[in-house]
């Protein structure tokens, strides 16, 4: 009976344990989690979501405070078109976050940055270019392009000296999305080094509509593998979403996947950036407490715990401090919903906004509890303690369990 450790992900002559830990923002996939994954021979992700805030927390910079002070005059103004990111500060924050992580890397594994196209930042092209280039400048092993088709992202990097050196990949949820990406970038003569195929059971934003339950990851992987074979293209495929055990992973590795990407089980590890009390919420969650809703301003459906404090919150938009989801004209779906509720309840001190959420502020404060479909199974991966809480796990414990387990078994902590 095969184990994950019987397989290897190959990038040229480099061989890796075929386990990728997904890039959960905002600093949920911490540098510590990515470093531990790389030490163990896999691929760890950090995310560049709200990177200036992450830098402030990790390196005592003051990017958010400085931006807030600069645009303080605009806080009560619903027009956010003038609230811009300082591109120099964005580059510095990215180089700090990525560079310091790379400096600390040990072991034979790799560290990638998860880069979300939907973080449009009131300047979609220029801010994305800076984020990508700064990550490459800082020596990151690779970049995973997520939350969007990224049709122009390769072009934004083509003049960078590491464009053909770093490992560059794209997350898709259908063969059509991959076809569009490859067709758009054909002139660059530069294929992606890997493709993450994210299925409908993944955590956070989904690449599906509210009909997500009609889709199946095994089917999508098989369709993409067959199309690549017909086109005589050799690109490693990484299956993601709902892979809860080592045996689940082996099922994909035996059927064409070069690796698997996992995240849910790492949310309750010591190295994960979630607060301890939030990790307990994940442990205790029941199946009926997990929902897919449409409150994200990005327009993508999002899976989360129903008890997330972000749901129904009517906080004032924090764009002067954050504003990562402002489009190129300073608009955000949450601002529209917030202004509607303020107009409808002019005398109410506290309002509730049910259809959208201020994703930047709530993710920054760990109040938007996004999760994978199988989060309700986390309680089966640990031990319940005398006080009713669950024992926290180490990232190494979870990684090794994926790597060596068989027969759908889950190794409990000592």
């Amino acid at each position: 009976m095969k184990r994950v450790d019987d397989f290897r992900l190959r990038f040229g002559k480099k061989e890796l344990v075929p386990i990728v830990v997904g890039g959960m923002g905002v600093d949920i996939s911490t540098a510590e989690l990515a470093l531990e994954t790389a030490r163990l021979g896999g691929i760890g992700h950090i995310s560049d979501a709200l990177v200036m805030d992450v830098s402030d927390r990790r390196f005592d910079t003051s990017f958010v405070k400085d931006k807030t002070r600069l645009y303080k005059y605009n806080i009560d103004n619903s027009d956010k078109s003038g609230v811009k990111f300082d591109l120099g500060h964005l580059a510095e924050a990215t180089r700090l976050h990525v560079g310091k992580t790379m400096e600390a890397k040990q072991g034979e594994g790799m560290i990638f940055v998860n880069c979300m196209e939907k973080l449009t930042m009131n300047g979609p092209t220029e801010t994305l270019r800076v984020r990508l280039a700064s990550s490459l400048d800082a020596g990151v092993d690779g970049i995973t392009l997520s939350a969007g088709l990224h049709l122009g992202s390769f072009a934004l990097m083509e003049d960078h000296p590491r464009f053909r050196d770093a490992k560059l990949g794209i997350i898709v949820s259908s063969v059509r999305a991959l076809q569009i990406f490859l067709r758009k970038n054909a002139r660059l003569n530069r294929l992606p080094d890997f493709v993450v195929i994210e299925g409908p059971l993944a955590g956070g934003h989904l690449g599906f509509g509210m009909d997500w339950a009609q889709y199946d990851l095994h089917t999508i992987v098989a369709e993409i593998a067959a199309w690549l074979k017909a086109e005589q293209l050799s690109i490693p495929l990484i299956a993601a979403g709902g892979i809860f055990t080592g045996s689940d992973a082996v099922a994909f590795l035996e059927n064409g996947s070069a690796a698997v990407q996992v995240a849910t089980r790492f949310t309750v590890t010591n190295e994960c950036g979630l607060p301890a009390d939030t990790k307990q919420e994940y442990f205790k969650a029941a199946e009926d407490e997990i929902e897919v809703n449409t409150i994200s301003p990005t327009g993508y459906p999002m899976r989360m715990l129903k008890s997330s404090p972000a749901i129904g919150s009517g906080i004032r938009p924090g764009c002067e401090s954050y504003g990562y989801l402002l489009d190129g004209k300073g608009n955000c779906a949450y601002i529209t919903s917030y202004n509607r509720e303020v107009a409808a309840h002019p005398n109410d001190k506290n309002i509730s906004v049910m259809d959208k959420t201020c994703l930047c502020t709530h993710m920054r404060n760990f109040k938007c509890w996004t999760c994978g479909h199988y989060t309700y199974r986390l309680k089966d991966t640990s031990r319940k303690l005398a006080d009713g809480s669950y024992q926290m796990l180490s990232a190494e414990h979870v990684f090794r369990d994926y790597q060596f387990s068989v027969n759908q078994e889950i190794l409990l902590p000592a």
Side-chain angles (χ1 to χ4, degrees), residues 72-303:
K72 186 177 180 180
Y73 71 89
N74 198 68
I75 287 176
D76 293 323
N77 186 3
S78 61
D79 180 2
K80 308 297 184 183
S81 58
V83 180
K84 301 288 186 178
F85 282 86
D86 182 301
L87 297 182
H89 290 173
L90 176 60
E92 184 181 352
T94 304
R95 286 194 291 263
L96 275 172
H97 182 38
V98 178
K100 293 297 185 182
T101 304
M102 296 306 298
E103 287 174 12
K105 193 184 83 165
Q106 299 178 344
E108 296 300 315
M110 303 178 83
I111 292 178
F112 291 176
V113 166
N114 185 71
C115 182
M116 297 172 62
E117 187 180 33
K118 279 293 184 179
L119 297 182
T120 41
M121 300 172 67
N122 210 357
T125 302
E126 53 267 37
T127 55
L128 184 57
R129 179 186 285 112
V130 168
R131 291 159 58 203
L132 293 168
S134 300
S135 291
L136 294 173
D137 290 344
V140 75
D141 291 319
I143 299 176
T144 300
L145 304 172
S146 67
L149 285 175
H150 283 275
L151 299 182
S153 294
F154 268 27
L156 294 178
M157 293 183 281
E158 66 174 318
D159 293 330
H160 196 282
R162 296 195 62 217
F163 177 55
R164 298 182 187 278
D165 163 50
K167 301 303 176 187
L168 305 178
I170 178 81
I171 295 180
V172 300
S173 293
S174 69
V175 65
R176 181 173 179 273
L178 180 57
Q179 290 168 342
I180 294 171
F181 177 84
L182 293 178
R183 186 162 61 246
K184 179 68 175 180
N185 290 282
R187 71 167 184 83
L188 298 173
N189 191 32
R190 205 294 187 200
L191 290 172
D193 296 290
F194 61 96
V195 174
V196 178
I197 306 171
E198 192 171 82
L201 303 184
H205 290 100
L206 304 180
F208 302 86
M210 290 304 286
D211 60 347
W212 59 269
Q214 299 177 22
Y215 298 88
D216 171 71
L217 179 57
H218 280 283
T219 301
I220 301 169
V221 170
E223 290 173 351
I224 292 178
W227 181 78
L228 288 176
K229 183 177 181 180
E231 295 295 316
Q232 296 184 320
L233 295 174
S234 180
I235 305 174
L237 301 180
I238 301 174
I243 300 170
F244 201 77
T245 68
S247 300
D248 293 341
V250 167
F252 286 98
L253 296 171
E254 287 185 319
N255 287 283
S257 294
V260 295
Q261 180 167 293
V262 292
T264 294
R265 288 185 58 189
F266 288 91
T267 60
V268 290
T269 60
N270 297 315
E271 292 83 355
C272 173
L274 287 171
D277 57 350
T278 302
K279 293 175 184 178
Q280 292 300 323
E281 295 289 339
Y282 281 55
F283 268 129
K284 296 173 183 177
E287 185 173 3
D288 62 2
E289 294 171 342
I290 298 168
E291 69 175 21
V292 175
N293 59 41
T294 58
I295 69 170
S296 172
T298 64
Y300 287 123
M302 189 163 57
R303 178 173 281 113

